[in-house]
Amino acid sequence: MGGDPIPTYCPLCVSRCGALATVEDGRLLALQPNPDHPTGRALCVKGKAAPDIVEHPGRLLHPLRRTNPKDAADPGWERISWEEALGTIARRLLALKAEHGPEVVAFSSSSPSTSAISDAIDWVLRLVRAFGTPNFSTYMELCGWGRYLAPLYTYGTSVPGVYLPDLDNAGCILFWGYNPSVARLAHATSTAAAVARGAKLIVVDPRKVGLAAKADHWLRVRPGTDAALALALTHVMIENGWYDADFVRDWTNAEDVVEGRTVWSLLTARCAEYPPEVAEDITGVSAADIVAAARTLWESRPVAFYTWSGLEQHSGTTQITRAINVLYALTGSFDVPGGNVLFESVPANRIDGMELVSRDGPATVGLAERPLGPARFGFATGEDVYTAALDGRIKALVGFGGNPVMAHGDSARGRDALRSLDFFVQADLFMTPTAELADIVLPVTTPFESEALKIGFEYSQEAQSLVQLRRPLVPPRGETRSDLRIVFDLATRLGLGEHFWDGDIDAAFRYQLAPSGITLEELRAHPEGVRVPLTTRHRKYVDTGFATPSRKVELYSTTLAAHGYPPLPTYDEPLTSPRSRPDLAERFPLVLSCAKSLFFCETQHRQVASLRKSQRDPQVELHPDTAAVRGISAGDWVSIDTPKGSVRARAKLNANLDPQVVFGQHGWWEACAELDLPGYPPYGPGSANLNLVLSQTPSDPISGSSPLRASVCDVSPLGG
Ligand SMILES: Nc1nc2c(c(=O)[nH]1)N[C@H]1C(S)=C(S)[C@@H](COP(=O)(O)OP(=O)(O)OC[C@H]3O[C@@H](n4cnc5c(=O)[nH]c(N)nc54)[C@H](O)[C@@H]3O)O[C@H]1N2
Ligand SMILES: Nc1nc2c(c(=O)[nH]1)N[C@H]1C(S)=C(S)[C@@H](COP(=O)(O)OP(=O)(O)OC[C@H]3O[C@@H](n4cnc5c(=O)[nH]c(N)nc54)[C@H](O)[C@@H]3O)O[C@H]1N2
Ligand code: SF4
Ligand SMILES: [Mo]
């Protein structure tokens, strides 16, 4: 039956764009932008491909059980019922828990930034915590650390992860290692609007991509040297008095005395090690550009900033984050209109099960090695999960989406680690190199076939005030179930029904919504959502102080100091760069970084013809001169060579790059039958899996973040 377009939103990535769906005879025909929705000004190609994702012939439609050993070429998948699947899973997990303790069972999920697991992730966490294991892995060390957890050591809160850039009111927008034009459409559209009304824009990125073309300052930093740039900018600000002296005096620990000196004098001295000329040599950004950008930061306040992947995947991620967080404190823009602001949110009950965590329970793997890292907050790094799987501390894994063998460096080690588990369950939409290694695979609905409750859309006060219940647009294909349904069904079978409303999802939603005054019935009757009038309160720290040991913004981190880490931000050369590893530099003289593709989410979507047609092959960007001396022309198949091996990609020439810098793409494995385009083996010869030749180590000593974005490499022509 045809009808009016149905208001919904696309949850395929972090942008969560408001949309209108056209549905006919039980089929999803199209998604279009919904300009009435606070994130609905535009949809990207992936959102528009929603019908193709729903109807893709490769979808998993039934629970599957492996019948062959883990190292067999053919897993021997056998279709089983949900009853059998869930019964087996519950039995195995409970047996392992009884014999060895809950910590031998780990859970994992896809990143909520790149999948609709955002619908269910808080419920997955509730299951993890109710089950009693401290081991949950969701790429915190590669994607969230620098936005959410590392800033706790400076601000006691998450800036820019929770204190979001108030783009509508910013005087100056600073995007550092972040390209929303590809990664988060709703931010890109608001930024374009801000620039149109006269806001200044500073983009720090080795590539001139997305909004960099519109920027007042594009700072072409050498990958992984961002801390040196931040310290130099801070130096110029201090030297010229371009900082908010009142905020620094009243709300940072600048005047505290440590090591016999004030923090301010220590910080000033640290920054003075990086005058613009020194930083130019390290970062490749000219001294003049550094001074000019510092001036803009000061003169165009308030400053709103966002950082992301460009900074998350380095051996120095924590110190890079610290350096930028300290710089930002000096602008005095924290929690003022047009700065980074905590928008008020609709009152709701928390459902992530935090209250179920026992204080003296077993520790998350990796805590002993990195006591201030993600493990301190209950997040296990991928590498720590692998190590624990290989040495038997983790014996079972339940994955709600995610494709870790493709998404982490050292893919072959990841495969070996997952193979070594006693029991591995993976819930996914498609069969992947990771799901291939599971004992049981559970088929999941696309978000267009399932219901989800979203309380707030983050971007602005208006967006944060919207509560929307996304209704199923079409019936689930095959026997697929939503992650939410799987969590609730599994929880009841594990004997945890008391924490899950005995499997009643509506009752759970009602509990969640209770403080908001909005009812489930109201939301079902209003698929466009219900708005709660809210007003932002600024400078909340005036009443509460900061949640740090000193109650102030910690330019000097007392917590880092207490653990023997550098308490002031430091610049450390990336640990596997041509400069830090002259022994490798001759053979691998170039620096390899990577970035997301507009057409795909991470390792997904290569099988979808409407997306793959726009990017048929894996690509590597390099400077024309770098290509020429190697006899490489645009479009040639080339080999990306690192100390770990070689993978293939097609050369794309980019004259804006530093000639020493090369950009690859991870995530290439899947074929597209409809276009007759090939897949690539995840391991071994002929692979296009960048993470096969990138290493997880040496990682950030504080967080364990993997150095995926500043590795030595070379590029060579591939004959034939
Ligand atoms: N289309 C699309 N959207 C996505 C995703 C996707 O795969 N595709 N993934 C989602 C996920 S999981 C995430 S985490 C976000 C990520 O969103 P972004 O962080 O914007 O993602 P990237 O494009 O990987 O990286 C941002 C920029 O960092 C730059 N960069 C690389 N190395 C460095 C460096 O050393 N220093 C600096 N300063 N910059 C560097 C790259 O050139 C790139 O332009 O996007 C989400 N949205
Ligand atoms: N070299 C390199 N490696 C990287 C990155 C990089 O930039 N460079 N980025 C890193 C980052 S930022 C991140 S966040 C990680 C991302 O890593 P992942 O979160 O593992 O993302 P994907 O690799 O796309 O795998 C997502 C899987 O979940 C499935 N899926 C999608 N939607 C759902 C759903 O709603 N439910 C369930 N159950 N499954 C679903 C997909 O089919 C797919 O198999 O990769 C990291 N790896
Ligand atoms: S940017 Fe694209 S994939 Fe992401 S939510 Fe918006 S429409 Fe969906
Ligand atoms: Mo991510």
Side-chain angles (χ1 to χ4, degrees):
M1 187 192 80
D4 292 338
I6 304 168
T8 184
Y9 64 91
C10 172
L12 292 180
C13 87
V14 62
S15 191
R16 322 256 185 256
C17 301
L20 293 168
T22 311
V23 176
E24 213 174 279
D25 298 326
R27 287 186 61 199
L28 175 61
L29 297 186
L31 283 190
Q32 292 158 260
N34 178 5
D36 293 335
H37 192 288
T39 62
R41 276 187 270 190
L43 290 187
C44 84
V45 282
K46 301 180 296 303
K48 289 180 182 155
D52 307 327
I53 297 172
V54 174
E55 298 194 2
H56 196 277
R59 287 272 307 277
L60 291 167
L61 300 178
H62 307 283
L64 300 173
R65 181 173 76 91
R66 161 186 297 279
T67 58
N68 288 337
K70 297 270 167 98
D71 52 1
D74 173 12
W77 295 119
E78 179 183 274
R79 183 171 155 181
I80 54 173
S81 68
W82 274 102
E83 200 49 43
E84 183 184 346
L86 293 170
T88 309
I89 297 167
R91 206 174 51 248
R92 295 291 305 269
L93 298 186
L94 289 173
L96 284 166
K97 181 176 175 175
E99 194 176 343
H100 305 284
E103 66 274 22
V104 301
V105 177
F107 289 78
S108 65
S109 84
S110 179
S111 161
S113 300
T114 198
S115 71
I117 199 63
S118 48
D119 288 358
I121 192 152
D122 283 350
W123 298 103
V124 172
L125 274 164
R126 186 179 186 84
L127 176 63
V128 171
R129 289 163 179 163
F131 186 81
T133 177
N135 292 317
F136 176 64
S137 188
T138 184
Y139 305 96
M140 181 54 81
E141 76 280 16
L142 297 181
C143 184
W145 178 253
R147 296 177 300 139
Y148 288 101
L149 298 178
L152 299 180
Y153 297 123
T154 308
Y155 288 96
T157 187
S158 302
V159 199
V162 172
Y163 278 73
L164 292 162
D166 180 8
L167 299 175
D168 295 341
N169 301 299
C172 176
I173 297 168
L174 170 63
F175 284 154
W176 202 318
Y178 176 45
N179 177 15
S181 306
V182 161
R184 196 176 193 170
L185 208 50
H187 258 174
T189 45
S190 320
T191 305
V195 170
R197 69 165 163 76
K200 299 283 187 223
L201 177 64
I202 302 176
V203 172
V204 188
D205 197 306
R207 300 183 307 154
K208 191 171 187 177
V209 281
L211 294 158
K214 288 194 174 139
D216 298 278
H217 307 271
W218 165 50
L219 306 183
R220 191 181 73 178
V221 67
R222 177 166 65 92
T225 65
D226 301 83
L229 181 58
L231 289 167
L233 286 163
T234 309
H235 171 74
V236 175
M237 290 160 73
I238 292 175
E239 283 271 281
N240 291 286
W242 293 341
Y243 62 91
D244 186 330
D246 293 341
F247 182 84
V248 167
R249 186 190 60 237
D250 297 340
W251 297 106
T252 76
N253 63 353
E255 293 185 355
D256 289 6
V257 176
V258 283
E259 304 166 27
R261 293 170 64 182
T262 64
V263 165
W264 187 249
S265 74
L266 290 169
L267 178 69
T268 303
R270 167 56 45 82
C271 294
E273 294 169 34
Y274 299 94
E277 311 71 47
V278 171
E280 173 173 333
D281 176 59
I282 297 170
T283 66
V285 180
S286 77
D289 284 349
I290 293 172
V291 175
R295 178 187 284 279
T296 298
L297 281 170
W298 177 244
E299 292 181 349
S300 305
R301 284 167 301 139
V303 181
F305 87 109
Y306 207 79
T307 61
W308 209 343
S309 300
L311 305 184
E312 296 274 3
Q313 298 156 16
H314 288 295
S315 56
T317 289
T318 306
Q319 293 296 349
I320 293 172
T321 303
R322 280 271 300 146
I324 294 171
N325 285 178
V326 163
L327 180 165
Y328 187 67
L330 267 55
T331 67
S333 300
F334 176 80
D335 211 21
V336 304
N340 279 54
V341 171
L342 179 68
F343 300 114
E344 287 296 303
S345 43
V346 175
N349 281 321
R350 271 184 83 156
I351 43 80
D352 61 8
M354 232 10 229
E355 73 282 4
L356 303 171
V357 179
S358 85
R359 283 233 152 259
D360 35 44
T364 304
V365 292
L367 186 71
E369 295 83 352
R370 278 169 261 96
L372 297 185
R376 186 184 195 201
F377 309 93
F379 296 98
T381 70
E383 180 63 13
D384 287 332
V385 170
Y386 288 173
T387 306
L390 288 165
D391 70 22
R393 282 173 297 145
I394 288 178
K395 299 182 190 302
L397 179 67
V398 182
F400 288 89
N403 190 4
V405 297
M406 293 293 303
H408 286 299
D410 292 319
S411 294
R413 173 172 154 84
R415 172 198 55 197
D416 296 345
L418 295 182
R419 268 189 188 157
S420 73
L421 293 164
D422 290 358
F423 187 59
F424 176 24
V425 181
Q426 184 68 16
D428 205 308
L429 284 74
F430 293 92
M431 186 56 73
T432 67
T434 296
E436 285 282 344
L437 303 169
D439 295 281
I440 291 183
V441 175
L442 301 176
V444 180
T445 50
T446 66
F448 310 103
E449 299 158 297
S450 60
E451 189 173 71
L453 176 60
K454 184 135 178 65
I455 303 178
F457 283 74
E458 288 104 22
Y459 295 89
S460 59
Q461 190 57 71
E462 186 209 355
Q464 193 62 335
S465 308
L466 179 66
V467 181
Q468 194 171 11
L469 187 74
R470 202 190 63 235
R471 301 286 291 142
L473 297 170
V474 293
R477 278 185 61 197
E479 291 184 280
T480 57
R481 291 187 185 176
S482 68
D483 293 293
L484 203 59
R485 187 71 266 161
I486 297 171
V487 166
F488 276 67
D489 290 349
L490 189 57
T492 49
R493 278 184 173 72
L494 287 167
L496 304 171
E498 57 171 317
H499 302 300
F500 285 86
W501 292 265
D502 292 318
D504 182 347
I505 296 177
D506 276 7
F509 282 167
R510 287 203 169 88
Y511 167 80
Q512 202 180 349
L513 282 168
S516 73
I518 302 171
T519 64
L520 206 51
E521 287 63 34
E522 218 176 328
L523 289 171
R524 290 220 166 97
H526 292 279
E528 74 281 12
V530 174
R531 291 170 199 245
V532 180
L534 295 171
T535 315
T536 318
R537 293 181 306 126
H538 294 98
R539 292 168 56 95
K540 294 173 280 292
Y541 56 83
V542 172
D543 301 326
T544 58
F546 289 84
T548 57
S550 63
R551 315 302 299 169
K552 296 194 169 163
V553 174
E554 298 211 338
L555 308 178
Y556 177 105
S557 166
T558 50
T559 308
L560 292 178
H563 283 80
Y565 298 117
L568 289 168
T570 60
Y571 161 65
D572 304 298
E573 174 68 21
L575 291 173
T576 321
S577 82
R579 288 195 194 191
S580 60
R581 293 296 304 271
D583 55 320
L584 297 173
E586 198 179 330
R587 170 72 187 87
F588 304 103
L590 305 176
V591 177
L592 176 62
S593 185
C594 50
K596 320 290 182 198
S597 163
L598 179 61
F599 305 103
F600 316 112
C601 281
E602 305 290 314
T603 74
Q604 304 166 62
H605 299 147
R606 276 34 170 218
Q607 78 278 35
V608 179
S610 55
L611 298 173
R612 182 77 176 265
K613 72 176 191 325
S614 302
Q615 197 183 342
R616 303 165 69 92
D617 309 306
Q619 143 192 319
V620 60
E621 289 177 66
L622 67 172
H623 191 277
D625 297 346
T626 310
V629 295
R630 290 168 173 75
I632 294 167
S633 308
D636 284 358
W637 280 101
V638 299
S639 171
I640 306 172
D641 311 314
T642 77
K644 288 187 66 72
S646 298
V647 290
R648 53 173 42 228
R650 250 186 214 279
K652 181 183 173 189
L653 304 191
N654 179 349
N656 287 317
L657 283 179
D658 177 324
Q660 200 192 4
V661 172
V662 170
F663 266 82
Q665 293 175 332
H666 84 293
W668 285 88
W669 61 276
E670 199 162 17
C672 179
E674 203 180 325
L675 297 178
D676 204 18
L677 286 168
Y680 301 88
Y683 330 94
S687 182
N689 171 12
L690 195 66
N691 281 337
L692 183 64
V693 298
L694 290 174
S695 180
Q696 304 258 78
T697 52
S699 60
D700 183 303
I702 300 175
S703 64
S705 300
S706 310
L708 305 178
R709 295 217 172 192
S711 163
V712 293
C713 83
D714 200 3
V715 180
S716 53
L718 209 59

